[in-house]
Amino acid sequence: DLSGSITTPDVKLNLGGEFIKESTATTFLRQRGYGWLLEVEDDDPEDNKPLLEELDIDLKDIYYKIRCVLMPMPSLGFNRQVVRDNPDFWGPLAVVLFFSMISLYGQFKVVSWIITIWIFGSLTIFLLARVLGGEVAYGQVLGVIGYSLLPLIVIAPVLLVVGSFDVVSTLIKLFGVFWAAYSAASLLVGEEFKTKKPLLIYPIFLLYIYFLSLYTGV
């Protein structure tokens, strides 16, 4: 028979080259098999992402696309094709919702109408573009149509000021519709359509007329 006593040695942890002596309680828990209670999990970098990154929202990218739509002239040097080639959802949705908010006039039904027209109007343009031989995805059409509502948002406060002048108001409305339609058509109607361009430009123009009618109550 063997008998005797074993003196518990001091247990030291090696942290970064420095030895730290464990407390008696820590040593006791480790000897009884409860050392797992002392383990601390390292934070996973994937769990600490900012909310905007989690939702895949790039504010700089959205701001750049807004500038591309509001300033569609090629001479300004913007890479406007990024609006079509790198589509996103949150930017166009924000534009459509903002347009809905300024179109309320106390009638909340218009919000659902504008969102519905955005979704199904974009679907119509997408189907027509594919029938005519265009290589475009529905997400691209949805993004371009949504962003191109920005010119109508820009002319909205002007219409409030000159609303009593019918001729000036009509001219501003036409300018806003042409501006929006040009921004969208210049991105969606490519060279692959050749002689069929008017068949796609015309429904895009009509779509923005309908958007404006929802705002003005025509």
Side-chain angles (χ1 to χ4, degrees):
D1 296 336
L2 298 176
S3 61
S5 61
I6 300 177
T7 304
T8 303
D10 290 338
V11 180
K12 297 181 179 180
L13 296 178
N14 185 358
L15 299 175
E18 297 181 0
F19 289 94
I20 302 176
K21 184 177 180 180
E22 289 189 343
S23 64
T24 304
T26 302
T27 304
F28 176 80
L29 290 174
R30 291 189 185 281
Q31 288 179 344
R32 297 299 187 276
Y34 295 103
W36 56 271
L37 293 172
L38 305 173
E39 295 178 0
V40 179
E41 295 184 359
D42 295 332
D43 292 335
D44 189 354
E46 296 295 328
D47 296 335
N48 296 327
K49 289 183 178 180
L51 179 60
L52 293 180
E53 188 175 345
E54 286 284 350
L55 296 176
D56 196 23
I57 299 176
D58 189 343
L59 295 179
K60 291 183 179 179
D61 182 58
I62 292 174
Y63 174 65
Y64 184 80
K65 291 177 180 177
I66 289 175
R67 294 171 65 193
C68 290
V69 170
L70 290 178
M71 294 176 282
M73 290 72 72
S75 59
L76 294 177
F78 289 110
N79 180 21
R80 300 187 66 248
Q81 288 300 317
V82 73
V83 182
R84 169 177 170 170
D85 297 338
N86 186 26
D88 66 289
F89 176 72
W90 297 108
L93 178 62
V95 174
V96 172
L97 289 178
F98 186 69
F99 181 73
S100 301
M101 292 300 105
I102 65 173
S103 305
L104 279 178
Y105 288 121
Q107 299 179 2
F108 288 94
K109 292 180 180 179
V110 76
V111 177
S112 59
W113 265 109
I114 290 175
I115 294 175
T116 301
I117 295 302
W118 172 48
I119 294 174
F120 288 99
S122 298
L123 179 61
T124 302
I125 300 298
F126 162 70
L127 294 175
L128 184 59
R130 296 305 293 262
V131 169
L132 294 176
E135 295 295 331
V136 63
Y138 176 59
Q140 294 175 324
V141 178
L142 198 68
V144 171
I145 296 298
Y147 273 117
S148 296
L149 273 174
L150 286 166
L152 300 186
I153 295 175
V154 171
I155 68 169
V158 182
L159 290 177
L160 293 177
V161 176
V162 300
S164 57
F165 303 96
D166 293 337
V167 176
V168 178
S169 178
T170 301
L171 291 176
I172 292 176
K173 290 176 184 178
L174 287 174
F175 172 73
V177 170
F178 275 108
W179 185 4
Y182 176 78
S183 292
S186 61
L187 290 168
L188 293 177
V189 184
E191 294 299 327
E192 68 270 19
F193 293 99
K194 298 180 180 178
T195 59
K196 302 176 183 178
K197 289 183 179 181
L199 296 177
L200 191 59
I201 295 175
Y202 181 65
I204 291 175
F205 180 74
L206 291 181
L207 181 62
Y208 286 105
I209 289 179
Y210 192 72
F211 274 125
L212 184 63
S213 70
L214 292 174
Y215 168 72
T216 57
V218 177

